[in-house]
Amino acid sequence: KENQIFKNNIEYLKKLGEIEEKTGINAMTISNLSGIPRATVLRKLRGLIKKKFLNINQNKLYHLNPKNLGPLLEIHENVMKRLSIFSSKVYNLTKF
């Protein structure tokens, strides 16, 4: 569905897990979008596959593993909380 609205990040990640295996993103695209060297991207992706957070298909496209979203959702929630705390502190510093 196009232009789908999600109530929160958790709902979005769950929906990502439902996407068919023929879709995904390759390591070069991740490297180009993030500015992280391709070798580093590949090393991190291998680690995420080993932890079963990601799957890779025959076309070397990476996608979320829908069977292992529980731990990923917990990590994501923790990261978002820490990011909001950091953002608040930075914002409060700019009030001077």
Side-chain angles (χ1 to χ4, degrees), residues 76-89:
H76 177 72
E77 187 175 345
N78 186 28
V79 167
M80 293 309 292
K81 283 179 184 176
R82 291 173 42 203
L83 180 60
S84 66
I85 291 168
F86 173 76
S87 299
S88 299
K89 288 180 180 180

Side-chain angles (χ1 to χ4, degrees), residues 8-65:
N8 55 47
N9 294 337
I10 308 279
E11 187 179 300
Y12 172 72
L13 282 175
K14 285 181 182 176
K15 194 66 174 175
L16 278 179
E18 296 172 9
I19 294 175
E20 297 177 30
E21 285 190 22
K22 23 182 195 183
T23 61
I25 188 168
N26 65 34
M28 183 58 95
T29 301
I30 295 171
S31 175
N32 289 341
L33 291 173
S34 65
I36 299 170
R38 186 172 176 271
T40 302
V41 168
L42 287 169
R43 190 172 57 251
K44 298 297 182 180
L45 289 171
R46 278 194 298 272
L48 291 170
I49 289 171
K50 200 177 214 179
K51 292 179 181 180
K52 301 193 187 301
F53 289 135
L54 293 180
N55 291 329
I56 184 170
N57 65 20
Q58 68 276 6
N59 296 325
K60 299 199 180 210
L61 296 176
Y62 297 87
H63 57 275
L64 285 176
N65 179 358

